[in-house]
């Protein structure tokens, strides 16, 4: 980018609305707009014209291939590229792209996790074009965002259920809005995902098998300088980092991502990038693109981007704050507290619906952020606790308390009920008094869910959020649709909801031990690890919810749950094996070599009659620690005998047996690192990694 004018490059690589308007006949363009704005079914004839226009644009911009781009349950994205070539009779080729190729693809589904769905049904999987998320160009291919479903229509991805959950909340919210005389054509959820990540010098990273294979350090003694100095957050950007961020921004803008904010984060070498919010589906696609671009651009600068939730022990991990709100196609944010009383009742009802949803289904929210990586963050004193609670901000806490206590709300005979709410302050976005320890905070016009892990697709999180709020809104609509006095009954319902779900509200320090005890008294679940949380996903209550809202069938929940558990188990399996390999092939030889060197030096001195008692002690100490290391290697090795039981029990085995053995091995290895000579240590240390750039 030569000058600073972002408009000149924004969306350059996207087949967006201006390009469509330019290249499509007017009636086709209008029909397409109707589909994306109102969710009407797309006519095949529209797809035909669209396919040709897309292909022409893609070829003009250097593309030879196209790919359906989808989001299987791995949480990553998948692509299979086909070229546009089509043979002709005279044995040359023409470039073609049919409507059928645009609308449907048939990748081999057998290599993607399906939790047994394939065995039950068919190996085939289909991808289906999502016209609401625009096609884009990357590396000479035209990328077409798609859903991924099995032959019989069961979802195999993260996009399809997200779209279903958007439809569910749309339906429920419009029922509630009708009570207030409002009939927007659509209600949508908006998401802004703040993405945290670490950068590390690529050459150093490649010297560490753990970073290479698992994305996090499995060993590493505490560095002399950790993050105690608090000098990195919002600190000056280093030149190399600034150059990297500039390129990231430019790439994202070209791909139509509204990249807005970038800064240094709390830990050394930790950074954040955040876009301006968009609808949940687009935000989710854009977040996947963002993660890909971070990785790709890092490479150009000899850097490596670590998206793992906990790359370094003892150093703040990386999360993804999921800012979430709900609004109408008319541009009304339903979580914005308004001035007018009637609108306030409406706000209170939507506000209450989120509070009730989070309390009723806090276990599902915990499940939505449950991964092996994120388990290192949640509850680790520097990230949201594993207990889900809500913080409403000072002003709304007061409002809710007043309503619960009946203060400021006048119920006198004949008086309009709305007067009570007139006292509500107009609340502007409040950035000053936020409780950073809360996993789920109201921040003026949206909720911020801070528990998601940095590497996670935000698809799963927003599927749960949308579905649980759709459920409470449905219940509210059921309760109020026959009301003769909606403002009064709605306010009563909101107050009743606040009273019933007060226990989920917590404004104190979420990291404290007192909160753990208090939460237990309140009956809030404290699901510390993924194996603890996961069974809640397939509880009867959960399945009923997802079925009622048309988001997942029982089978889809069960298979998805199994896949997530399998993912956890596989992650730990790799970590365990990588740890053993590093311990046996790298750490142990280094310790033996160093001990030998010191011992030989000592022997020489003693043969000369020189007394070196401290060296003698050091050799003894090194020998003892190395022996200990070997014992712990043996212990972890015996833990590799994974019992032949179901995925959930295997998960418990990893949690109860393998992880403790890994922790013990690490403890000894890290102690050794701090006493073995630096030049003997087989890989870069924390200081090397964290201060490499
Ligand atoms: P902070 O770090 O102070 O929490 P940021 O500015 O880094 O805030 O990020 C806030 C995120 O919230 C941005 O992605 C922003 O676009 C998003 N956001 C703002 N308003 C809304 C809203 N109404 N709905 C959803 N997301 C929103
Ligand atoms: Mg931020």
């Amino acid at each position: 980018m030569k000058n600073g004018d972002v408009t000149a490059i924004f969306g350059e690589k996207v087949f967006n609305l201006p390009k469509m308007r330019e290249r499509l006949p007017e009636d086709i363009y209008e029909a397409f707009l109707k589909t994306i704005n109102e969710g009407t079914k797309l006519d095949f004839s529209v797809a035909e014209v669209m396919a040709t226009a897309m292909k022409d644009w893609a070829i003009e911009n250097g593309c030879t291939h196209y790919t359906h781009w989808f989001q299987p349950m791995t949480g990553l994205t998948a692509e299979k590229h086909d070229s546009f070539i089509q043979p002709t009779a005279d044995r040359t080729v023409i470039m073609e792209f049919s409507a059928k190729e645009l609308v449907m693809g048939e990748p081999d589904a057998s290599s993607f996790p399906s939790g047994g769905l394939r065995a039950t049904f068919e190996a085939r999987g289909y991808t289906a074009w999502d016209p609401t998320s625009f096609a884009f160009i990357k590396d000479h291919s035209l990328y077409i965002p798609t859903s991924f479903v099995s032959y019989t229509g069961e979802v195999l991805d993260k996009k399809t259920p997200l779209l279903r959950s958007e439809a569910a909340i749309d339906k429920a919210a419009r029922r509630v809005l009708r009570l207030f005389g409002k009939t927007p054509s659509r209600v949508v959820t908006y998401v802004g995902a703040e993405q945290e990540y670490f950068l590390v010098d690529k050459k150093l990273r490649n010297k560490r098998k753990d970073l290479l294979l698992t994305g996090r350090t499995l060993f590493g003694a505490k560095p002399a300088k950790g993050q105690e100095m608090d000098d990195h957050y919002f600190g000056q950007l280093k030149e190399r980092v600034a150059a990297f961020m500039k390129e990231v921004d430019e790439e994202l803008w070209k791909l139509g991502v509204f990249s807005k904010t970038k800064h240094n984060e709390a830990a050394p070498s930790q950074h954040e990038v955040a876009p301006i919010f968009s609808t949940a589906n687009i935000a989710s696609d854009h977040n996947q693109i963002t993660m890909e671009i971070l990785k790709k651009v890092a490479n150009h600068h000899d850097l490596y981007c670590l998206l793992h939730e906990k790359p370094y022990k003892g150093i703040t991990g990386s999360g993804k704050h999921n800012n979430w709100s709900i609004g109408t196609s008319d541009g009304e944010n339903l979580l914005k507290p308004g001035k007018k009383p009637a609108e306030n009742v409406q706000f209170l009802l939507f506000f209450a619906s989120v509070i009730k949803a989070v309390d009723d289904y806090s276990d599902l929210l915990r499940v939505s952020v449950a991964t092996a990586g994120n388990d290192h963050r949640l509850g680790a004193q520097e990230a949201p606790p594993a207990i889900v609670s809500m913080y409403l901000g000072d002003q709304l806490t007061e409002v809710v308390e007043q309503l619960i206590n009946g203060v400021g709300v006048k119920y006198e005979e004949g008086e309009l009920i709305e007067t009570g709410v007139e006292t509500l302050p107009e609340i502007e976005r409040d950035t000053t008094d936020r409780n950073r320890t809360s996993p789920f905070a109201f921040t003026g016009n949206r909720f911020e869910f801070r528990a998601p892990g940095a590497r996670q697709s935000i698809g799963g999180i927003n599927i749960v959020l949308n579905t649980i709020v759709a459920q409470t809104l449905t219940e509210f609509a059921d309760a109020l649709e026959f009301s003769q006095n909606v403002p009064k009954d709605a306010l009563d319902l909101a107050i009743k909801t606040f009273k019933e779900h007060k226990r989920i509200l917590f404004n104190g320090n979420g990291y404290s031990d007192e909160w753990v005890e208090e939460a237990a008294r309140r009956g809030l679940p404290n699901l510390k690890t993924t194996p603890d949380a996961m069974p809640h996903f397939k509880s009867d209550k959960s399945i009923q919810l997802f079925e009622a809202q048309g988001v997942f069938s029982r089978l889809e929940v069960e298979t998805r749950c199994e896949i997530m558990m399998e993912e956890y188990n596989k992650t730990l399996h790799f970590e365990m094996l990588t740890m053993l390999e590093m311990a046996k092939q790298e750490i142990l030889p280094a310790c033996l070599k160093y001990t030998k060197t010191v011992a030989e030096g000592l022997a020489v001195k003693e043969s000369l009659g020189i007394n070196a008692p401290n060296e003698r002690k050091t050799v003894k100490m090194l020998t003892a620690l190395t022996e200990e290391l070997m014992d712990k290697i043996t212990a972890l090795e015996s833990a590799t005998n994974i019992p032949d039981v179901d995925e959930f029990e295997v998960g418990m085995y990893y949690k109860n047996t393998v992880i403790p053995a890994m922790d013990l091995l690490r403890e000894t290895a890290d102690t050794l690192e701090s006493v073995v000579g630096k030049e003997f240590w087989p890989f870069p240390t924390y200081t090397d990694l964290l201060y490499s750039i």
Side-chain angles (χ1 to χ4, degrees):
M1 201 164 81
K2 285 196 191 68
N3 61 25
D5 185 10
V6 177
T7 61
I9 58 162
F10 191 85
E12 188 179 285
K13 295 184 175 176
V14 186
F15 198 61
N16 54 14
L17 291 177
K19 293 193 189 78
M20 290 180 204
R21 190 163 27 203
E22 195 186 302
R23 289 166 179 266
L24 296 172
E26 204 176 316
D27 56 328
I28 299 283
Y29 177 72
E30 291 301 330
F32 182 77
L33 264 193
K34 211 168 140 63
T35 294
I36 61 168
N37 290 337
E38 291 164 38
T40 51
K41 212 164 171 59
L42 192 92
D43 202 78
F44 200 70
S45 62
V46 175
E48 269 168 346
V49 184
M50 182 66 90
T52 306
M54 251 186 209
K55 175 207 66 181
D56 290 346
W57 170 76
I59 292 171
E60 281 165 34
N61 286 281
C63 291
T64 49
H65 289 70
Y66 72 92
T67 177
H68 276 200
W69 183 68
F70 56 102
Q71 302 172 18
M73 287 299 299
T74 54
L76 307 169
T77 56
E79 46 195 69
K80 177 185 131 220
H81 303 254
D82 280 306
S83 73
F84 290 120
I85 65 164
Q86 194 58 249
T88 62
D90 59 5
R91 297 199 193 178
T92 59
V93 294
I94 49 167
M95 300 292 263
E96 263 193 357
F97 184 47
S98 68
K100 191 174 162 287
E101 286 167 314
L102 167 62
V103 172
M104 207 185 84
E106 201 179 334
D108 178 9
S110 58
S111 304
F112 296 104
S114 72
L117 268 182
R118 268 189 318 274
T120 334
F121 297 95
E122 273 252 17
R124 265 186 292 176
Y126 290 96
T127 49
W129 178 36
D130 168 16
T132 60
S133 185
F134 299 146
F136 57 92
I137 290 176
K138 225 180 75 184
D139 306 324
H140 306 289
S141 273
L142 174 68
Y143 280 69
I144 298 153
T146 55
S147 291
F148 182 43
V149 294
S150 77
Y151 179 67
T152 39
E154 272 76 23
V155 293
L156 297 172
D157 69 345
K158 304 230 173 196
K159 181 190 268 278
T160 317
L162 181 59
L163 293 170
R164 289 181 184 168
S165 74
E166 284 187 318
I169 203 163
D170 169 49
K171 186 172 156 208
R174 279 193 293 122
R175 277 181 67 196
V176 171
L177 284 173
R178 221 170 289 136
L179 302 168
F180 295 90
K182 293 182 183 170
T183 53
S185 62
R186 273 200 115 165
V187 171
V188 290
T189 48
Y190 292 105
V191 171
E194 302 166 49
Q195 176 72 51
E196 293 179 338
Y197 59 91
F198 278 87
L199 289 176
V200 62
D201 185 274
K202 198 170 86 184
K203 283 191 235 52
L204 294 177
R205 176 254 178 188
N206 288 347
K207 288 186 185 156
R208 293 206 45 144
K209 216 176 257 177
D210 46 8
L211 285 180
L212 211 57
L213 299 179
T214 71
R216 75 178 181 103
T217 54
L218 299 169
F219 296 102
K222 203 174 172 312
K225 184 180 176 203
Q227 59 190 92
E228 304 85 354
M229 298 287 287
D230 275 333
D231 53 358
H232 195 253
Y233 190 63
F234 282 14
Q236 209 173 54
L237 297 179
K238 299 221 176 78
E239 223 168 88
R240 192 161 158 207
V241 174
F244 158 81
M245 286 182 172
K246 179 172 186 289
E247 193 183 332
V248 166
D249 269 340
E250 284 177 17
E251 282 302 309
L252 291 177
W253 289 330
K254 285 180 193 167
L255 288 165
V257 178
F258 300 107
S259 180
K260 174 83 173 167
T261 311
K262 53 185 179 187
H263 59 78
N264 284 351
E265 260 300 331
S269 291
Q270 193 186 27
H271 310 278
E272 179 184 299
V273 57
I276 297 169
F277 65 93
S278 41
T279 54
N281 176 36
I282 307 297
S284 174
D285 282 2
H286 282 182
N287 184 251
Q288 295 291 342
I289 293 177
T290 303
M291 291 194 283
E292 285 173 26
I293 292 296
L294 285 170
K295 291 253 175 209
K296 181 174 143 179
V297 172
N299 212 19
H300 299 169
H301 298 261
D302 272 328
L303 294 169
Y304 188 82
C305 176
L306 294 167
L307 289 171
H308 196 283
E309 283 78 15
K310 195 76 177 177
Y312 305 105
K313 189 181 169 190
I315 302 281
T316 303
S318 296
K320 183 136 60 188
H321 294 177
N322 191 81
N323 293 271
W324 180 95
S325 69
I326 163 168
T328 70
S329 49
D330 308 330
E332 181 184 359
N333 179 349
L334 299 171
L335 292 177
K336 190 173 158 71
K339 257 187 204 152
K340 292 186 201 140
E343 280 177 11
N344 276 336
V345 177
Q346 180 196 303
F347 161 74
L348 287 172
L349 203 58
F350 277 94
F351 195 57
S353 78
V354 182
I355 294 174
K356 176 171 159 57
V358 174
D359 188 27
D360 282 349
Y361 299 104
S362 66
D363 56 344
L364 290 185
L365 284 169
R366 174 64 185 91
V367 168
S368 78
V369 297
T371 64
N374 214 21
D375 280 358
H376 296 287
R377 264 181 88 231
L378 300 180
Q381 301 298 314
E382 39 87 347
I387 306 162
V388 176
S389 68
M390 297 174 91
Y391 170 64
L392 302 181
D394 287 348
Q395 283 139 315
L396 274 159
T397 299
E398 214 177 297
V399 169
V400 167
E401 268 167 16
Q402 279 183 5
L403 288 170
I404 287 177
N405 301 328
V407 187
V409 187
K410 300 186 185 107
Y411 279 103
E412 279 127 53
E413 205 71 50
E415 192 166 1
L416 280 179
I417 200 72
E418 285 96 331
T419 51
V421 228
E422 215 156 10
T423 58
L424 291 188
E426 164 88 342
I427 289 165
E428 284 305 323
R429 199 186 142 176
D430 186 346
T431 46
T432 50
D433 64 345
R434 284 193 275 158
N435 182 342
R436 285 275 160 198
T437 67
S438 175
F440 206 104
F442 184 67
T443 52
N445 61 2
R446 62 183 188 268
F447 284 95
E448 186 174 341
F449 187 29
R450 304 190 177 123
R455 257 191 323 180
Q456 274 190 276
S457 149
I458 55 167
I461 297 140
N462 290 296
I463 292 167
V464 170
L465 254 173
N466 288 349
T467 307
I468 62 178
V469 177
Q471 177 63 26
T472 49
L473 287 173
T474 305
E475 290 170 24
F476 285 1
D478 287 345
L480 293 171
E481 259 164 5
F482 296 102
S483 160
Q484 299 299 315
N485 185 352
V486 169
K488 179 182 183 309
D489 292 345
L491 180 62
D492 284 349
L493 180 57
I495 295 171
K496 180 169 159 267
T497 307
F498 294 143
K499 281 185 185 154
E500 283 172 4
H501 297 280
K502 210 165 62 181
R503 66 168 190 168
I504 196 78
L505 306 178
F506 178 64
N507 290 354
N509 178 4
Y511 299 169
S512 67
D513 293 338
E514 294 82 68
W515 170 231
V516 175
E517 288 161 27
E518 167 68 20
R521 267 195 299 278
R522 293 188 189 186
L524 297 176
N526 182 3
L527 303 168
K528 291 198 186 108
T529 69
T530 299
D532 298 317
M534 211 46 80
H536 289 248
F537 188 23
K538 52 174 189 164
S539 70
D540 286 342
K541 185 178 162 199
S542 163
I543 290 171
Q544 264 163 28
L545 163 81
F546 286 113
E547 286 193 329
Q549 291 302 326
V551 173
F552 290 130
S553 65
R554 169 180 287 272
L555 183 65
E556 285 169 344
V557 169
E558 285 170 352
T559 49
R560 198 154 285 246
C561 194
E562 176 122 2
I563 292 169
M564 288 163 79
M565 208 54 242
E566 201 181 299
E567 178 83 23
Y568 174 88
N569 296 339
K570 273 192 198 154
T571 304
L572 275 148
H573 190 71
F574 280 127
E575 289 187 351
M576 169 181 78
L577 296 184
T578 307
M579 213 171 180
L580 279 171
E581 226 176 85
M582 288 172 80
K584 288 194 292 189
Q585 299 178 354
E586 300 181 47
I587 299 176
L588 181 58
C591 295
L592 292 172
K593 193 169 167 195
Y594 181 63
T595 311
K596 180 165 175 260
T597 306
V598 182
E600 280 171 0
L602 174 69
V604 171
K605 287 180 191 167
E606 286 184 342
S607 72
L608 296 171
I610 301 169
N611 199 8
N614 286 323
E615 270 173 65
R616 179 167 277 273
K617 256 193 243 160
T618 304
V619 173
K620 274 193 183 159
M621 178 266 289
L622 286 168
T623 306
L625 275 173
T626 309
E627 282 291 323
E628 194 182 304
L629 183 77
M630 291 197 256
D631 285 343
K632 289 181 176 177
I633 290 174
T634 309
L636 182 57
E637 250 167 354
S638 61
T640 58
N641 225 333
I642 308 301
D644 187 14
V645 283
D646 76 23
E647 293 290 351
F648 295 88
E649 286 172 59
V650 172
M652 278 297 171
Y653 176 79
Y654 275 110
K655 177 195 151 183
N656 294 325
T657 307
V658 176
I659 292 180
M662 286 169 67
D663 288 346
L664 287 173
L665 172 57
R666 176 174 186 155
E667 201 180 294
T668 306
D670 290 357
T671 307
L672 276 159
E673 185 191 317
S674 64
V675 293
V676 168
K678 170 95 167 101
E679 64 186 282
F680 289 80
W681 202 248
F683 40 73
T685 65
Y686 270 23
T687 302
D688 299 331
L689 298 168
L690 287 164
Y691 300 98
S692 63
I693 313 163

